[in-house]
Amino acid sequence: MLQVAGIDVAYGHAKVLHDVSLDLEEGKMLFVVGRNGAGKTTLLRTIMGLLRPLKGSIYFDGGDITGLPPEQLYHRGIRYVTQDKKVFGSLTVRENIEIAAYSSGEPLSQALDKVLEIYPKMKDFLNLKAGQLSGGQRQILLIGQAMVGNPRLLLVDEPTQGLAAIVINEIARILKHLKGRLSAVVVEQNLPLVSQLADRVVVLKEGKVTQVLDDASEICNTSLLEKAL
Ligand SMILES: Nc1ncnc2c1ncn2[C@@H]1O[C@H](COP(=O)(O)OP(=O)(O)O)[C@@H](O)[C@H]1O
Ligand SMILES: [Mg+2]
């Protein structure tokens, strides 16, 4: 459902991704792992149309989406949850969800249901300013907002970064719940979580794909993943 085919991406003259390819099948979760600076965020930003590859193409649902603007990709069902966990802090949680409802054209009541489905406790926080949520709750709100409309492909950048173990378990539970309902590319450095959830793991090293793991017994092996980084 998503193919990245041989892309090179640069910031000015500094090339960051070199001939990167990946292939994601419908309903699967692909995890991208790699050290800081490997180019993981750059890859997600390029898929979302925020950066244009110098060469190579990106295909989604069989069509070439290379160079299409992010708004258009949003309306085709691609959602990007960025690494920075940014919500509209001075607006309430409900108002943040309203924005997703408005952007996607989904009625607010359904949008609220989408968020409460993944995290029923959010019901108690709807009138709270989103800035008052904990880091984990913000991350959950952002994932919930991404589920509004009819997402087909979710791109999530380091959802558990900086979160406490108990919250990481909650995020893992939510990702597991979403598994099979849509396709996802998740950047994640928490290897136990990767080995729990991934259908495929792509290792990115200095902007190049150095390994692709498809075999469940390999993916389960966190020390193998650790060695691949
Ligand atoms: N806006 C930018 N301008 C210039 N260089 C950047 C920019 N963003 C990232 N880089 C560089 O690109 C490389 C890959 O960054 P990034 O994709 O953020 O890596 P990762 O997400 O794997 O940590 C790094 O060397 C980083 O310094
Ligand atoms: Mg990053």
Side-chain angles (χ1 to χ4, degrees):
M1 72 102 57
L2 174 74
Q3 280 97 32
V4 174
I7 59 168
D8 281 3
V9 179
Y11 296 102
H13 293 296
K15 204 188 268 188
V16 167
L17 296 183
H18 308 269
D19 199 31
V20 167
S21 296
L22 58 82
D23 199 325
L24 172 66
E25 284 157 41
E26 189 85 50
K28 301 286 182 185
M29 266 190 187
L30 182 151
F31 279 71
V32 178
V33 300
R35 295 185 186 282
N36 285 333
K40 305 179 298 296
T41 296
T42 303
L43 174 59
L44 294 190
R45 288 174 56 81
T46 308
I47 296 171
M48 194 63 215
L50 294 159
L51 294 167
R52 206 190 169 110
L54 298 173
K55 80 161 193 57
S57 303
I58 302 171
Y59 303 94
F60 174 64
D61 271 346
D64 189 343
I65 59 162
T66 323
L68 292 185
E71 313 79 68
Q72 211 167 317
L73 297 177
Y74 178 92
H75 288 295
R76 287 200 189 191
I78 306 184
R79 300 284 184 274
Y80 176 34
V81 180
T82 57
Q83 203 171 349
D84 57 22
K85 302 182 180 50
K86 266 214 184 99
V87 294
F88 292 101
S90 58
L91 301 181
T92 65
V93 170
R94 184 192 297 275
E95 285 163 344
N96 273 269
I97 299 169
E98 262 173 49
I99 292 171
Y102 179 78
S103 307
S104 66
E106 177 152 50
L108 178 60
S109 62
Q110 283 181 35
L112 287 165
D113 286 346
K114 292 264 172 74
V115 178
L116 297 179
E117 183 194 323
I118 63 161
Y119 190 65
K121 274 186 223 150
M122 200 63 88
K123 204 174 175 55
D124 301 333
F125 307 139
L126 289 175
N127 297 319
L128 210 67
K129 297 269 190 267
Q132 291 176 270
L133 296 178
S134 70
Q137 290 164 340
R138 280 182 214 198
Q139 183 63 271
I140 292 168
L141 174 60
L142 290 165
I143 295 173
Q145 282 179 297
M147 296 312 293
V148 176
N150 280 313
R152 309 240 309 104
L153 170 65
L154 186 62
L155 310 171
V156 195
D157 201 350
E158 305 217 19
T160 69
Q161 189 187 29
L163 301 181
I166 186 160
V167 194
I168 293 178
N169 289 339
E170 189 68 23
I171 305 276
R173 182 195 62 76
I174 290 168
L175 290 176
K176 195 173 270 175
H177 172 78
L178 296 180
K179 203 172 159 167
R181 297 173 188 228
L182 77 173
S183 312
V185 177
V186 185
V187 168
E188 184 53 67
Q189 307 219 31
N190 182 321
L191 298 181
L193 187 143
V194 173
S195 64
Q196 255 184 61
L197 290 171
D199 295 299
R200 175 170 290 168
V201 178
V202 170
V203 182
L204 207 56
K205 204 171 192 169
E206 293 169 9
K208 297 188 182 106
V209 174
T210 53
Q211 221 170 326
V212 179
L213 305 178
D214 268 316
D215 188 78
S217 67
E218 288 181 335
I219 292 171
C220 283
N221 187 339
T222 48
S223 57
L224 190 87
L225 291 178
E226 179 73 46
K227 247 182 259 161
L229 293 185

